[in-house]
Each structure stands twice: as C-alpha cells, then as structure tokens.
Amino acid sequence: MMLFRRIRTYRLALYYLAAIVLAALVLSLAGIGRQPPVNLAFSLGLALIVCLAVNWAFARGFGAGSNWESVCITAIIITLIITPTAPSDLPGVGFLILASEIGRASCRERV
C-alpha cells in the first residue's frame, strides 16, 4: 500500500494507459491485432502532438499552469477510442486532429 501513497493518480493512470497502448502495439506487430502498427503509432503521435499544441496555446493564452501527464492521458485515450488512421487517409487524419483539439480544449484541471 505504500506504493500507492507515493504515486500520483495522474501518473498511475498514465502508466496503465501506456501499458494498454504498448500491448496493442505488440499484438499488432505479432499479427494478432486488427490494425497495422504504423497506423496505431501514427495516430498516437498525431494525437499527442495536437494535444500538446492545444494545451500549450491555452496555457499561454490564459496564463495557466500545464500538466503534461494529463495531456498524455488525453492523447492516449483518444488513440484508443478512435480507430487508428493511416497517414494517407486525409478525412481520418482531419477527424483525429479535430477530436484531439476538442478533447484537450474541454479538459478542466487544476494544477
């Protein structure tokens, strides 16, 4: 029980979600997953970049603090709930960008 007293909730959620994404990547690489690993990695990277950019813009615009763990959690959740898109699928990329912007802009947190 001492372990849970030292780890913040955001960090624990981040580790858990990262393990899920890593498992999805491994299963995809092994041919068990339904999506190509390139699509999953691309979707995760794009969602993370967009969430970081939106978070930076809002933090800078409103003079608020920023929590990188929350940004990563949002990006991973978006990656896991939206079907991974190929880099050449422009409507899918646009939807992923829009979902990441809305997801990050709608987060309310206290730092």
Side-chain angles (χ1 to χ4, degrees):
M1 283 309 207
M2 289 298 289
L3 173 69
F4 293 116
R5 291 184 185 167
R6 290 184 282 167
I7 296 179
R8 293 180 45 204
T9 306
Y10 276 106
R11 180 120 345 136
L12 186 62
L14 178 61
Y15 291 160
Y16 180 71
L17 289 170
I20 292 173
V21 168
L22 184 63
L25 278 170
V26 168
L27 290 174
S28 184
L29 284 169
I32 299 171
R34 300 182 72 195
Q35 294 292 328
V38 173
N39 293 359
L40 186 60
F42 173 75
S43 294
L44 178 62
L46 182 63
L48 188 59
I49 289 170
V50 171
C51 285
L52 284 168
V54 169
N55 188 66
W56 177 83
F58 274 99
R60 178 127 180 167
F62 292 109
S66 178
N67 185 350
W68 68 270
E69 293 163 337
S70 177
V71 175
C72 293
I73 289 169
T74 303
I76 293 173
I77 289 173
I78 288 170
T79 301
L80 291 172
I81 63 173
I82 295 177
T83 303
T85 184
S88 60
D89 180 18
L90 294 182
V93 170
F95 179 72
L96 183 62
I97 290 172
L98 181 65
S100 298
E101 289 173 347
I102 292 171
R104 191 63 218 152
S106 65
C107 288
R108 289 180 37 174
E109 62 192 38
R110 295 185 179 155
V111 180

